[in-house]
Amino acid sequence: MNGFDTATDTTWMSPEQLELVRAQVPIVYVEAVPVRVDALGNVTKVGLLLRMAADGSISRLIVSGRVKFGERVRDALLRHCEKDLGPLALPRVPPSPAPFTVAEYFPHPDISGFHDPRQHAVSLVYVVPVDGECQPTQEALDLAWFTPAEVMSPAVITQMTGGQDRLLRLALAHVGQLP
Amino acid sequence: MNGFDTATDTTWMSPEQLELVRAQVPIVYVEAVPVRVDALGNVTKVGLLLRMAADGSISRLIVSGRVKFGERVRDALLRHCEKDLGPLALPRVPPSPAPFTVAEYFPHPDISGFHDPRQHAVSLVYVVPVDGECQPTQEALDLAWFTPAEVMSPAVITQMTGGQDRLLRLALAHVGQLP
Amino acid sequence: MNGFDTATDTTWMSPEQLELVRAQVPIVYVEAVPVRVDALGNVTKVGLLLRMAADGSISRLIVSGRVKFGERVRDALLRHCEKDLGPLALPRVPPSPAPFTVAEYFPHPDISGFHDPRQHAVSLVYVVPVDGECQPTQEALDLAWFTPAEVMSPAVITQMTGGQDRLLRLALAHVGQLP
Amino acid sequence: MNGFDTATDTTWMSPEQLELVRAQVPIVYVEAVPVRVDALGNVTKVGLLLRMAADGSISRLIVSGRVKFGERVRDALLRHCEKDLGPLALPRVPPSPAPFTVAEYFPHPDISGFHDPRQHAVSLVYVVPVDGECQPTQEALDLAWFTPAEVMSPAVITQMTGGQDRLLRLALAHVGQLP
């Protein structure tokens, strides 16, 4: 659906090929917690997509996606932010390549607390301030912004699966905003 | 023109008071390495002020200043960026309160490699992307932007004192741009 | 036997001097969250002291103390770990000088969520694995070890004041152990 | 004796399978910079293996290896440290899952400065203090310890390939020991 699915893209894999690879090695992912910040750098809002999660449920999710063969981590981070938040989001990819945490998703839910029935994914997670106008793309039903307090409320947490609520707590702790 | 000079500022200290305090405890500082970044977060330029350093020499320096009593670290970071880079610099104070390194300045030059003849300063150092127009304030003679390669060249390094060249290497390493 | 008590220590300050300085500048602190780790680096236990907190209450606390004039941050961290955990604790001071977070304590409780009625303290906070035998020193009534789940339980959290429970959540998030 | 060689290990892949997968997705790696530290956490020595690098040359290298399907990052880090440094090395896997940097190795040498002709690898890099006795395993010809100054000397740097010298500079900067 996006430009990466064209025949000229040599990193393209068929769903069958991807399934085979996923059974053999961990897959590299990037995830971005989209945030609004004030002039002092304080996180004022956290953005969450509403869409189908890896387990098939309709869930609140952060930006997430695979790093392709030959692609830089930064490029993957920008590509997935633009794919999920729209072309006018103006994400601020952090200058440092080090993620604030690494989330390890396993097909079995009890290994790490992060769960993805499709695969073993090693996900580099970043907090990404976004300055521009965001709009959910066709894959997402909604994009909503919550304060750090709201995002930790039961009403929002119960809409998250696979450990995404825990990942948000880690992100808020990293920015010193965990209540 | 900054807060240090106004009578209404209750955190004001006379030069004599500050000198007395400096002889008794380490002083909290913040430092910012001002950078230009591209859409992918890569550092493309590093900004250096030309002004009088703590040792009295005319040197290339990053943004630096004291945290005042009652002041948040974020507020001090923004205040010093605006003081040194001008009111239109639009500095992007990082969301995380953790500095990428801590520089310990001592009156004796051989203790840590960071040297400030006036005091023992514990400095929290951040990389701060700036988006806006920067102009040196009256205290600075010049503000110049260098590529990561240029900033590590002998021509620039020899203009730095007190360990500021080493601090720049640590900053470039942190953002993965050390050659 | 530590530096605070000897007349030959030039960094000694009388209580009156310290009180004067505390009214004028933020004071540099280090804090250490003492942890037991397994061979894989997983935090299995968190150590908490029971002693008089800054507000006069008997509280559960992490290791904490001032950085003295002329003292390296590493030296202060080791000194306070040995002071609070005993001389056989074998603390593992981290190789990187960067704290995982900065806690800003203010005399007013509402500014940052970290509260110290005596002073404005800027505290560099580290997670410090300890391998040896720990014993509370005379200032502490007790030293107890809790699992990450226990330390987040209401029974333990209600024994903490000044924001120390929040600091523990930030530490557990940093090591990926926040439930 | 490691997992790659046992028939009962379901994550085993034949060299042909691995080659196919490597042509399709980036491979998750961990790397460890083995260090000796003093009681204050200062890095005093860096350990380097002498062995065949990915490009076929005999080079100075840090500990490195693949994360297997179903394996935690911590387990992979411990496994490769023990494989490369021997069973008595007592590596101290860091409590935080976040690497200090991410090194992206590409088949083409000019993309990132990190080069691996066999594959696109995304490598999570950690500084790992080792306390025990280290001995190179049969794959390595030698294991030698260098001071931070020595490791940056031309004599050592010229023995490194693929960007490993740069990775060492980033590691030394992270621990505040870059000269």
Side-chain angles (χ1 to χ4, degrees):
Chain A
M1 217 59 75
N2 60 47
F4 293 103
D5 299 324
T6 60
T8 52
D9 187 336
T10 58
T11 61
W12 182 84
M13 284 192 287
S14 70
E16 292 74 21
Q17 279 176 302
L18 183 56
E19 202 176 326
L20 277 173
V21 168
R22 276 174 165 162
Q24 295 180 303
V25 291
I27 305 296
V28 185
Y29 264 65
V30 287
E31 289 183 283
V33 181
V35 298
R36 300 288 194 190
V37 296
D38 65 17
L40 293 162
N42 292 299
V43 169
T44 56
K45 298 270 185 179
V46 176
L48 291 176
L49 299 159
L50 186 70
R51 73 175 197 196
M52 192 180 293
D55 63 2
S57 68
I58 301 296
S59 300
R60 289 275 169 211
L61 292 166
I62 60 173
V63 172
S64 174
R66 200 161 64 79
V67 178
K68 293 193 299 179
F69 183 88
E71 187 180 36
R72 298 295 302 263
V73 166
R74 291 182 181 288
D75 289 279
L77 203 49
L78 183 61
R79 176 170 62 84
H80 288 293
C81 282
E82 294 188 336
K83 171 175 66 65
D84 286 351
L85 305 174
L88 306 175
L90 298 179
R92 311 279 313 192
V93 176
S96 169
F100 79 87
T101 200
V102 174
E104 302 170 72
Y105 292 86
F106 289 97
H108 193 290
D110 293 346
I111 295 176
S112 68
F114 296 110
H115 178 222
D116 186 335
R118 305 167 301 175
Q119 62 190 340
H120 172 192
V122 174
S123 176
L124 312 180
V125 196
Y126 301 85
V127 172
V128 178
V130 292
D131 288 354
E133 285 195 37
C134 297
Q135 48 186 31
T137 54
Q138 63 266 46
E139 283 185 34
L141 305 173
D142 182 37
L143 168 66
W145 295 90
F146 303 93
T147 65
E150 286 166 354
V151 94
M152 290 292 96
S153 68
V156 177
I157 281 178
T158 52
Q159 296 182 61
M160 289 188 260
T161 58
Q164 292 262 311
D165 55 327
R166 186 152 77 97
L167 204 47
L168 272 179
R169 279 198 293 282
L170 302 189
L172 290 177
H174 171 66
V175 299
Q177 294 273 346
L178 192 71
Chain B
M1 213 48 164
N2 65 46
F4 290 118
D5 304 321
T6 62
T8 54
D9 187 337
T10 59
T11 61
W12 181 86
M13 283 194 287
S14 70
E16 292 74 21
Q17 280 176 300
L18 183 56
E19 202 175 327
L20 276 173
V21 168
R22 276 175 164 163
Q24 295 179 303
V25 292
I27 304 297
V28 185
Y29 264 65
V30 288
E31 289 181 284
V33 181
V35 297
R36 298 288 194 192
V37 295
D38 65 18
L40 293 163
N42 292 300
V43 169
T44 56
K45 297 271 184 177
V46 176
L48 291 176
L49 299 158
L50 187 70
R51 73 176 197 194
M52 192 180 291
D55 64 2
S57 68
I58 301 296
S59 300
R60 289 275 169 207
L61 291 167
I62 61 173
V63 172
S64 174
R66 200 161 65 78
V67 178
K68 293 192 296 180
F69 182 88
E71 186 180 37
R72 297 294 301 264
V73 167
R74 292 182 180 288
D75 288 279
L77 203 49
L78 182 61
R79 177 169 62 84
H80 288 293
C81 282
E82 294 188 335
K83 170 175 67 66
D84 285 352
L85 305 175
L88 306 175
L90 298 179
R92 313 275 317 188
V93 176
S96 169
F100 79 87
T101 200
V102 174
E104 302 170 72
Y105 292 86
F106 288 98
H108 192 290
D110 293 346
I111 295 177
S112 68
F114 296 110
H115 178 222
D116 186 335
R118 303 167 302 173
Q119 63 192 339
H120 172 192
V122 174
S123 177
L124 312 180
V125 196
Y126 302 85
V127 171
V128 177
V130 293
D131 288 353
E133 284 195 37
C134 297
Q135 47 185 33
T137 54
Q138 65 268 44
E139 283 184 34
L141 306 173
D142 182 36
L143 167 65
W145 295 90
F146 303 92
T147 66
E150 286 167 354
V151 93
M152 291 292 96
S153 68
V156 177
I157 281 177
T158 52
Q159 296 183 62
M160 289 188 260
T161 57
Q164 292 262 311
D165 56 328
R166 186 152 77 97
L167 204 46
L168 272 179
R169 279 198 294 280
L170 302 190
L172 289 176
H174 171 65
V175 300
Q177 294 273 346
L178 193 71
Chain C
M1 210 47 174
N2 68 45
F4 290 117
D5 305 318
T6 59
T8 53
D9 187 336
T10 58
T11 61
W12 182 85
M13 284 192 287
S14 70
E16 292 75 23
Q17 279 176 302
L18 183 56
E19 201 175 327
L20 276 173
V21 167
R22 276 175 164 162
Q24 294 180 303
V25 291
I27 305 297
V28 184
Y29 264 64
V30 287
E31 288 181 284
V33 180
V35 297
R36 299 288 195 192
V37 295
D38 65 17
L40 293 163
N42 292 300
V43 169
T44 56
K45 297 271 185 177
V46 177
L48 292 176
L49 299 158
L50 186 70
R51 72 175 198 195
M52 192 179 291
D55 63 3
S57 67
I58 302 296
S59 300
R60 289 275 169 209
L61 291 166
I62 61 173
V63 172
S64 174
R66 200 162 65 78
V67 178
K68 293 193 296 180
F69 183 87
E71 187 180 36
R72 297 296 300 263
V73 167
R74 291 182 181 287
D75 289 279
L77 203 49
L78 182 62
R79 177 169 62 83
H80 288 293
C81 282
E82 293 187 337
K83 171 175 66 66
D84 286 351
L85 305 174
L88 305 176
L90 297 180
R92 312 278 315 192
V93 176
S96 169
F100 78 87
T101 200
V102 174
E104 302 170 72
Y105 292 86
F106 289 97
H108 193 290
D110 294 345
I111 295 176
S112 68
F114 297 110
H115 178 221
D116 186 335
R118 304 167 301 175
Q119 61 192 337
H120 172 192
V122 175
S123 176
L124 312 181
V125 196
Y126 302 85
V127 171
V128 177
V130 292
D131 289 354
E133 285 195 38
C134 298
Q135 48 185 33
T137 54
Q138 65 267 44
E139 284 184 34
L141 306 172
D142 182 37
L143 167 66
W145 295 91
F146 303 93
T147 66
E150 286 166 355
V151 94
M152 291 291 96
S153 68
V156 177
I157 280 178
T158 52
Q159 296 182 61
M160 289 187 260
T161 57
Q164 292 262 310
D165 56 328
R166 186 152 77 96
L167 203 47
L168 272 179
R169 278 198 293 281
L170 302 189
L172 290 177
H174 171 65
V175 299
Q177 294 273 345
L178 192 71
Chain D
M1 211 49 174
N2 68 46
F4 289 118
D5 305 320
T6 60
T8 53
D9 188 336
T10 59
T11 61
W12 182 86
M13 285 192 288
S14 70
E16 292 74 22
Q17 280 176 300
L18 183 56
E19 201 175 327
L20 277 173
V21 168
R22 276 175 166 162
Q24 295 180 301
V25 293
I27 304 298
V28 184
Y29 264 64
V30 288
E31 289 182 284
V33 181
V35 297
R36 299 287 194 194
V37 296
D38 65 17
L40 293 163
N42 292 301
V43 169
T44 56
K45 297 272 184 176
V46 177
L48 291 176
L49 298 159
L50 187 69
R51 74 175 196 196
M52 192 180 292
D55 63 2
S57 67
I58 301 296
S59 300
R60 288 275 169 209
L61 292 166
I62 61 174
V63 172
S64 173
R66 200 161 65 78
V67 178
K68 293 193 295 180
F69 183 88
E71 188 180 38
R72 298 294 301 264
V73 166
R74 292 182 181 289
D75 288 279
L77 203 49
L78 183 61
R79 177 170 61 83
H80 288 293
C81 282
E82 293 187 337
K83 171 175 65 66
D84 286 351
L85 305 174
L88 306 175
L90 297 180
R92 311 279 313 191
V93 177
S96 170
F100 78 88
T101 200
V102 174
E104 302 170 73
Y105 292 86
F106 289 97
H108 193 289
D110 294 345
I111 295 177
S112 68
F114 296 110
H115 179 222
D116 187 335
R118 303 167 301 173
Q119 62 191 339
H120 172 192
V122 174
S123 177
L124 312 180
V125 196
Y126 302 85
V127 171
V128 178
V130 293
D131 288 353
E133 284 195 37
C134 298
Q135 49 186 33
T137 54
Q138 65 267 42
E139 284 185 34
L141 305 172
D142 182 36
L143 167 66
W145 295 90
F146 303 92
T147 66
E150 286 166 354
V151 93
M152 291 292 95
S153 69
V156 177
I157 280 178
T158 52
Q159 296 182 63
M160 290 188 259
T161 57
Q164 292 263 309
D165 56 327
R166 186 151 76 98
L167 203 46
L168 273 179
R169 278 199 292 280
L170 302 189
L172 289 176
H174 171 66
V175 299
Q177 294 274 346
L178 192 72

